[in-house]
Amino acid sequence: MSGALIEARGLSKTFPGKGMFRKGRPVQAVRGIDAVVARGEAVGVVGESGSGKSTLGRLMLGLMPASGGEVLVEGRPLAGVSGAEWRRLRQRLQIVFQDPYGSLDPRRKVGAQIADGIVLHHRASRREVADKVAALLVRVGLDPAHAQRFPHEFSGGQRQRIGIARALATNPDFLVADEPVSALDVSIQAQVVQLLDELRRDLGLALLFISHDLPVVAHLCDRVIVMYLGRVMEEGPARAIFTAPAHPYTRALLSATPRLDPARRLTRILLPGDPPSPANPPSGCVFRTRCAHAVEACASTVPELLPFGEDGHRVACIRAAEIA
């Protein structure tokens, strides 16, 4: 792992409100996010549904414009890039979607869909394109003959492998995997995760792995970002996050993770209520309405993401030192 490949600085995204008879409140999906993914590094993003994980991934790929802040690729701002320069950059940034069937065109053979990126970004003969598609299918554990089949002829796990092959077709440097195994059977999930891990190590990919499955994130990722209601609650090395979590929200997430070994099970921390609406977030710390450690100051102070311990471990909690 060496050097920052892609970086978010103060990244924010607000969606306009919707209403039938009156304009609704804007939804603050992501607010003031700082994140870095280095070459060859796997960074996990975890949190409850609605925390802004997928929005962050799409912002870092340039798939939607940011409302504030910026994304930099090797130190160069992503905003404002257009034309031929954007086309060159686009091939370096790819995504694997959550739904392996919905992300594929049911009317086209999978080989043609994998070939799209090769044809668009590389000058190659028809024979070279076919050879590249065959090699990609083998690389993800499928047969080259599968190129002539349609998406409905495959299982969910096979379709996700096809989605991964399609993402690899442009020889990317940065890959966002947005809940890539949540739609798969448990027996298949481990195989796809192992494939992503092998590809990341073999190809030197920078990987942003978005998931709600904490054991998978612990196995795959070097660092972890914990999000809640559009903000980062805690960020740091996976070992620190999973063995010595500093934020009350991180501790609650980990306590809900099933463990086979009774000696390693944690006392379940039950959070009261549901997450507030991102259209009407609490003042101060957005987690305070569900936090057992909240005090009066939490309602007026937006906690900064500050260093906690060593090795880049950071936490956004004004009481982190007291409750550690």
Side-chain angles (χ1 to χ4, degrees):
M1 184 179 70
S2 60
L5 174 66
I6 191 161
E7 180 179 2
R9 293 180 181 174
L11 200 58
S12 299
K13 180 62 180 180
T14 300
F15 294 100
K18 296 181 180 180
M20 183 176 296
F21 300 107
R22 62 184 178 84
K23 188 175 181 180
R25 291 184 176 182
V27 175
Q28 301 175 13
V30 169
R31 298 193 285 173
I33 300 292
D34 293 328
V36 176
V37 185
R39 290 184 178 276
E41 182 182 35
V43 176
V45 184
V46 303
E48 293 171 286
S49 297
S51 62
K53 304 186 299 295
S54 294
T55 301
L56 174 62
R58 283 161 171 73
L59 287 171
M60 293 186 74
L61 287 171
L63 295 180
M64 61 174 64
S67 304
E70 61 180 350
V71 176
L72 298 96
V73 179
E74 294 181 326
R76 298 179 59 191
L78 191 60
V81 174
S82 60
E85 186 179 4
W86 171 244
R87 183 173 175 175
R88 288 192 296 269
L89 187 59
R90 177 73 270 161
Q91 72 182 75
R92 303 178 59 192
L93 313 173
Q94 291 293 322
I95 185 169
V96 176
F97 294 98
Q98 177 179 359
D99 182 0
Y101 189 73
S103 63
L104 296 172
D105 187 340
R107 298 166 297 179
R108 300 176 66 209
K109 294 178 180 180
V110 299
Q113 298 188 58
I114 296 171
D116 285 341
I118 305 171
V119 174
L120 181 63
H121 293 289
H122 302 284
R123 292 182 178 179
S125 67
R126 183 176 297 181
R127 179 71 260 173
E128 289 172 332
V129 171
D131 290 344
K132 174 78 170 182
V133 169
L136 285 168
L137 287 169
V138 172
R139 188 67 183 83
V140 299
L142 297 175
D143 192 295
H146 289 163
Q148 301 304 314
R149 295 184 183 179
F150 291 91
H152 72 270
E153 299 180 77
F154 296 93
S155 67
Q158 289 174 320
R159 284 195 289 263
Q160 194 59 288
R161 289 173 185 268
I162 293 166
I164 294 170
R166 186 177 58 178
L168 295 177
T170 63
N171 298 321
D173 299 315
F174 177 59
L175 184 65
V176 172
D178 188 3
E179 300 271 12
V181 297
S182 63
L184 306 179
D185 292 339
V186 174
S187 60
I188 305 300
Q189 290 180 6
Q191 298 176 21
V192 175
V193 169
Q194 185 61 34
L195 173 61
L196 287 171
D197 194 26
E198 291 173 1
L199 292 171
R200 194 258 302 191
R201 296 178 186 277
D202 294 346
L203 304 178
L205 286 172
L207 177 65
L208 189 73
F209 187 81
I210 299 169
S211 179
H212 63 270
D213 193 324
L214 297 183
V216 169
V217 172
H219 169 76
L220 181 65
C221 298
D222 304 302
R223 290 190 302 112
V224 179
I225 295 171
V226 182
M227 292 186 65
Y228 181 83
L229 218 61
R231 291 191 180 276
V232 174
M233 299 289 99
E234 189 167 1
E235 186 266 335
R239 180 182 296 274
I241 297 295
F242 286 100
T243 61
H247 198 283
Y249 178 60
T250 310
R251 293 176 182 173
L253 287 180
L254 291 176
S255 74
T257 303
R259 298 172 186 262
L260 294 178
D261 184 357
R264 299 182 60 215
R265 290 175 187 164
L266 302 175
T267 301
R268 181 69 186 272
I269 300 173
L270 296 176
L271 297 177
D274 297 317
S277 168
N280 187 29
S283 62
C285 175
V286 292
F287 182 63
R288 67 177 176 82
T289 56
R290 305 176 75 196
C291 181
H293 303 281
V295 294
E296 186 176 346
C298 296
S300 57
T301 304
V302 177
E304 297 181 57
L305 194 62
L306 298 176
F308 186 88
E310 301 177 351
D311 300 326
H313 191 180
R314 300 186 299 166
V315 61
C317 177
I318 62 174
R319 302 195 64 200
E322 300 175 50
I323 64 178

